[in-house]
Amino acid sequence: MVGGAVGAWFKKAAKYSPRRFPNGWNDVDASEIVFLCVPTPYKRATGYDYRALEAAAKRLTGKKIVVLKSTVLPGKTAELQKKYPQHTWLFNPEFLRDKTAVQDFLKPDRQIVGMAKNTASHRKAAQRVMKLLPNAPYKAITTSTEAEMIKIFANAFLATKVVFANMVYDVCRQTGADY
């Protein structure tokens, strides 16, 4: 879902997906800026599964600006920066809904780019990426940990709203009120 939305904005960019674009890895790896939109499923017993993220990171060659779009725990982008220091790691959280992912990406209400290191080169890379992304009424360049927290907080707030709406619905059903 996230990769499809990113691909809708960067129509002419190189793309790789094991299912949809299986022959595109070399073109992606030749790119200067790479957006990683890989699944990081969460399981209560084990936490986030970073296998796809690690596999993609290991395959990248040269020096790149790597923009992580996957949901991760705060600190993961900085951890990747230490593990793969040849790249400049950034975190750009997505705030997409399943049914309207492309529209949400093309017309965002906020655009956040987090830097794994607070250096001039990382700031320059973050500014460069920000210019490539769809314009938004609110833009911020932060640390990657802060950007990761923004994503986690947004998800938690959305979940709170869903739970609240479900509780109101249940009360309406029990009392016969029209929801």
Side-chain angles (χ1 to χ4, degrees), residues 18-76:
R19 285 186 221 106
R20 295 186 61 211
F21 305 102
N23 298 321
W25 180 259
N26 289 338
D27 292 333
V28 168
D29 195 39
S31 301
E32 187 178 349
I33 300 173
V34 174
F35 284 80
L36 283 185
C37 312
V38 298
T40 53
Y42 181 82
K43 293 182 182 168
R44 181 175 275 190
T46 57
Y48 287 101
D49 182 347
Y50 295 130
R51 285 180 291 183
L53 175 57
E54 288 288 345
K58 285 177 188 172
R59 289 184 73 182
L60 293 171
T61 63
K63 293 182 178 187
K64 304 189 181 330
I65 296 171
V66 183
V67 184
L68 181 55
K69 299 284 294 173
S70 305
T71 302
V72 296
L73 284 175
K76 185 64 178 178

Side-chain angles (χ1 to χ4, degrees), residues 163-175 177 179:
V163 168
F164 177 77
N166 287 338
M167 290 175 74
V168 169
Y169 176 79
D170 289 344
V171 171
C172 287
R173 283 194 55 180
Q174 290 173 358
T175 62
Y179 179 73

Side-chain angles (χ1 to χ4, degrees), residues 15 32 47 56 114 138-139 145:
K15 297 171 181 70
E32 187 178 349
Y138 178 81
K139 298 180 207 177
T145 300

Side-chain angles (χ1 to χ4, degrees), residues 3 9 12 27 30 37-38 51 54 66 70 73 86 88-89 95-96 98 111 113 127 137 140 152 157 166 173 179:
W9 177 254
K12 295 182 181 179
D27 292 333
C37 312
V38 298
R51 285 180 291 183
E54 288 288 345
V66 183
S70 305
L73 284 175
Q86 70 276 25
T88 299
W89 286 85
F95 305 101
L96 309 178
D98 259 352
Q111 204 60 268
V113 177
Q127 291 167 340
I152 297 291
F157 185 64
N166 287 338
R173 283 194 55 180
Y179 179 73

